[in-house]
Amino acid sequence: MASRIFGSGIKRREDPRLITGKGKFTGDIMLPHMLHMVVVRSPYAHATIKHIDVTAAAAVEGVVAVYTNADMTLANIPCAWLIPNSNLKLVPHPPLAKEKVRYVGDGVAIVLAESRDIAQDAADLVRVDYEALTAVVNPEEASMDGAPLLHVEAPNNIAFRWIASSGDAGVEKAFAEADVVVKERIVQQRLQPSSMETRAAVAQWDSGNEEMTLWVSSQNPHIARFVVSGVAGLPEHKLRVIAPEVGGGFGAKLPIYPDEVLTVWAARKLDRPVKWVESRSENYTVTTHGRDHIEYVEIAATKEGKVTALRGKVYAGMGGYLSTAAPGIPTIAHGLMYSGVYTIPNLRCESIGVFTTTTPVDAYRGAGRPEATFLVERLMDKLADKLGMDPVVLRRKNLIPPFANGYTVAMGITYDSGNYEGALAKALGIADYDQLRKEQAEARTKGRYIGIGVTTYAELCGFGPSAVAGATGFQGGLWESAIVRVSPVGKVQVLIGASPHGQGEETTFAQIISDELGFPVKDIDVIHGDTSRTPMGWGTYGSRTTAVGGAALVLAARKIKEKARAMAAHLLEAAVEDIDYDDGKFFVKGSPDKFKTIQDATLMATLAWNLPPGMEPGMEASQFYDPPNFTYPFGAHIAVVEIDPDTGKVDLKRYIAVDDCGPQINPVIVKGQVHGGLAQGIGQALCEGAVYDDNGQLLTGAMTDYAIPRADMFPQFEIDHTVTPSPHHPIGVKGIGEAGTIASTPTIYNAVIDALKPFGIESINMPLTAPRVWAAIQEARANHAIGGR
Amino acid sequence: MCPASFDYHRPASVAEAVQLLSRPGAKALAGGHSLIPAMNLRVAQPGELVDIGRLDVLRGIRVDGNRLIIGALSTHAQIAASPEVQKHCAALATACSTVGDPAVRNWGTIGGNLAHADPASDPPTVVLACDAVIHTQGENGQRAIKAADFFVDVFTVDLQPGELITSIEIPSQSHRRMAYVKLPHPASRYAVVGVCVSMHTSGGVCDQIAIAVGGATAKATRATGAQSALLGSLLEAEALEAAAIAISADIGDQAVSDIYANATYRRAMAGVLLKRAVKAL
């Protein structure tokens, strides 16, 4: 057999068109008679709208219409993750604000004009009479008595309160009886997803057929159709949603926003195509942010280092409204993962969603799981310090032993497979951990501050099954689908419901098909992102496209293979049971020289001149796949940092990532996903963070102020892997999109705190910028008069 | 975003440019890397843009006796790569090599940079440390403005409406040793604090010194206290420590605070960077 295409690091087939500027993004779409929409947005974080005067704007030459909430009867923008038993307050979110605005950027009017410049000029002339109200930006403060109230429906601004517990009595008892309890207040600072392409939408109304086409920069066009048709009052089969090239999403292109709905509404109202493209400033103030937790967490252990319990209380900022998936993130995607890779018997998570006068919060790469991993990994390091134990030794005392098919944690979810010690041992070996500790001790005697951070993690991803979606209040399914269609001459179209936007599935899915059926990759096209061409699917997020969509694809391919086998058997005049297959060829067992290729079988099945009895013509297979469980990738990461005590600057010297996502379809793409994930997670640890002032103005609203990580921050990443297949996936794969983000933030954080140990510093709020680290050192020196030079 | 509408002119001579720039609401466009972002945000809405990019007379870097003459349209990249600048004002080459990113350095010009006078920008600090002279042309003729007088406040310089920077004249520093060190802002790469030192020693004794600090205050500032602390010293550890304390005092309560770094940090970093700059000489 030829060398397997599965597992080979072939180049991404998407890249030639993207790196030569030939990719077609939503913003590239130009239609005849197209209008341009600009949204007039609130400059206030919290205000009552007294009056809106659009006269001057409407009078500008080239302006076709100016609309406010009063002009439209649109449904509210829905929230789609209605966590049960949480007293969730489903507050109204009109596409344009009606009586009140609740964050800077809340839309109050739309201007439609012949050009974007004209629309912007006119937007500046819309006069809105606001009466300012008090802003509140901190979720913990917003939940207190007397805080400014955003929605009358949600007293104390509490959107929901959710508790997950292994049993409160057990948790209480474990803390009461613990030898050691370690506590921490963690601020998971708010992050601004910074995809290269901002959001954009183009809507075209075909009034003759009463059909709407919406091009949108989205991670999930089928969900967009599902939701937009409902809000805009269009029959779902009359709305076609296309996600063309999408320049990054990171979770923020998962929600359904007012802007896309307004684009659709205006196109129909005016019977002209309408285009809306978000500016970078709008992207930072309007597109959903991530994280924004204030957490109080504590861990209980015996003096020997056996962890007995972990509990936490989370104030999760929701922003001004509940975005599409927002309530699921600090709850299901977070609390259920509290124990990470450890055998912690008693767990409790209380998660309080709180409205604040800020940009709504939703998924951001990892979404809930980075926060969970951070808190348990932070507490493990702090506990190790308190016990005077090496953090690796402490982790090893508590790791879940290797398992191949199911391990149920105290929160009740069942991990699919794991070998945490295997990944940890490999990472420690690459790092030469013992030697690193020696070098660290040596450096300290010379006044150098080197720190080592070690994280072991598991993540819950491959979002599905749908029954869990239903049980947790997710207003959709979590299955995927695939159609494999082979043309008469043996070219393959793969149509998938998921919507890759940078993850490389045009390549990896072709590798799967090639591996299953023997077609060369060049003969396989992977088609996605168009509700009229592809079968239904729930989108690309939660590292689920390969874990769920890939499974649908494999099963569809296997249907093709069985049909081709039957056809080949017929052509070879042999019984199906006697037919062997190797690398695209069917032959009678023992006679590999006399074969029919899969292309032969396809042609004859398509011509249908002589089919076996009962066989349908054609070579096409469809598969819906609802997974039996999530997948649980895992790994171990190690960072080495050095702190410049004079400036506080953190220098990342080494980063070792050993991840296990099961068998790798394309190791180069896996590595790319890990690199990107690491960059984003390290960005949270070291430089990223949204800052609001007390009036709710976003002070990090431009790329000159919001620090995304740059290449020169990073050493050469040392990437390796272990392979532990998922027992329930047809080819064992798990997902890798979020791993780097989930593990790297605590790894860096723990390394920095480890470096600062001589100063007695236990905690610094992220991001760990030079001024913050320096200030912590100064304070420690003032308090302890140690560690100085 | 898109800018508000404006009229566009491309004058063929400095005189024509000056005439156009004298009109109300007119703004000079050189590299555009400060102006155009501001226009895109509609923070700046000039009614007329005067594109001086084709005025070749404003280009070029040359040495005239013991003076380095840098045309106002010289880009940061050209200055950073110039052997003349590296010889006669090495710290300016360093500073220009750290401005923004490659696109900014390939488009942004020294004239535009100085006229814009961002308090966190790198070149003004070096220009000030070198006692450079800014040459301008306006409706009322040419002027030669000392750098110390040129920078007035945040984004404010001594330029009259219509007046255009034509060149920067820098006394050769080739007999001195120079360094420019900065702490870059992680997002903008502007200087959170930048320190330029130009020094001459004789027999180990510092007998000439100029120190300027940028990023820390509303405009680039000469650190006179720190200069005094080092002048006549052997640059020994005690002298450097005294200079570090002095530069913090030079900045004093003029130090700026923002969401990234507070005044205390900036004062302290000026001292740290001064010591590093001297050690780098």
Side-chain angles (χ1 to χ4, degrees), chain A residues 121 124 644 646-647 710 712, chain B residues 42 187 189 265 269 276:
Chain A
D121 287 346
D124 292 349
D644 176 352
D646 295 337
T647 64
R710 312 283 179 93
D712 63 3
Chain B
R42 299 199 170 199
R189 302 287 162 117
Y265 185 74
M269 288 311 107
R276 290 184 179 180

Side-chain angles (χ1 to χ4, degrees), chain A residues 344-376:
Chain A
I344 308 176
N346 297 291
L347 302 165
R348 187 179 198 272
C349 171
E350 178 180 5
S351 196
I352 305 161
V354 187
F355 291 110
T356 58
T357 56
T358 58
T359 303
V361 172
D362 208 307
Y364 176 66
R365 203 167 188 171
R369 291 149 291 155
E371 299 93 314
T373 303
F374 186 94
L375 72 88
V376 66

Side-chain angles (χ1 to χ4, degrees), chain A residues 237-305:
Chain A
H237 65 297
K238 293 291 192 183
L239 174 61
R240 174 184 186 184
V241 178
I242 301 170
E245 301 287 6
V246 174
F250 309 118
K253 288 176 182 170
L254 184 164
I256 307 304
Y257 292 85
D259 312 293
E260 291 85 329
V261 172
L262 292 165
T263 308
V264 164
W265 178 84
R268 189 181 188 184
K269 175 95 176 168
L270 298 169
D271 196 8
R272 287 180 67 176
V274 173
K275 181 179 203 171
W276 171 78
V277 178
E278 189 183 54
S279 71
R280 181 60 63 185
S281 309
E282 282 179 298
N283 181 257
Y284 270 174
T285 48
V286 178
T287 290
T288 52
H289 294 170
R291 315 281 190 263
D292 198 22
H293 287 192
I294 295 172
E295 304 176 354
Y296 295 87
V297 292
E298 54 185 332
I299 196 165
T302 66
K303 57 183 183 299
E304 293 79 23

Side-chain angles (χ1 to χ4, degrees), chain A residues 117 120-121 124 279 281 644 646-647 699-700 703-704 706-707 710 712 769-771 774, chain B residues 1-4 41-42 183 185-189 259-261 264-265 268-269 272 276:
Chain A
D117 304 66
Q120 187 64 54
D121 287 346
D124 292 349
S279 71
S281 309
D644 176 352
D646 295 337
T647 64
L699 301 179
T700 47
M703 284 189 152
T704 48
Y706 186 81
R710 312 283 179 93
D712 63 3
T769 61
W774 181 84
Chain B
M1 281 291 268
C2 39
L41 292 169
R42 299 199 170 199
L183 287 178
H185 185 281
S188 69
R189 302 287 162 117
I259 55 171
Y260 179 71
T264 306
Y265 185 74
M269 288 311 107
V272 170
R276 290 184 179 180

Side-chain angles (χ1 to χ4, degrees), chain A residues 561-574:
Chain A
K561 190 169 172 180
E562 288 322 302
K563 180 164 186 176
R565 184 195 300 276
M567 190 69 223
H570 187 63
L571 295 172
L572 293 166
E573 298 178 342

Side-chain angles (χ1 to χ4, degrees), chain B residues 34-47:
Chain B
S34 299
L35 178 59
I36 289 176
M39 289 172 66
N40 281 342
L41 292 169
R42 299 199 170 199
V43 173
Q45 300 194 11

Side-chain angles (χ1 to χ4, degrees), chain A residues 495-516:
Chain A
L495 302 116
I496 55 168
S499 195
H501 47 279
Q503 295 83 353
E505 273 93 356
E506 288 179 32
T507 305
T508 52
F509 277 18
Q511 286 179 266
I512 290 177
I513 289 293
S514 182
D515 191 61
E516 291 286 333

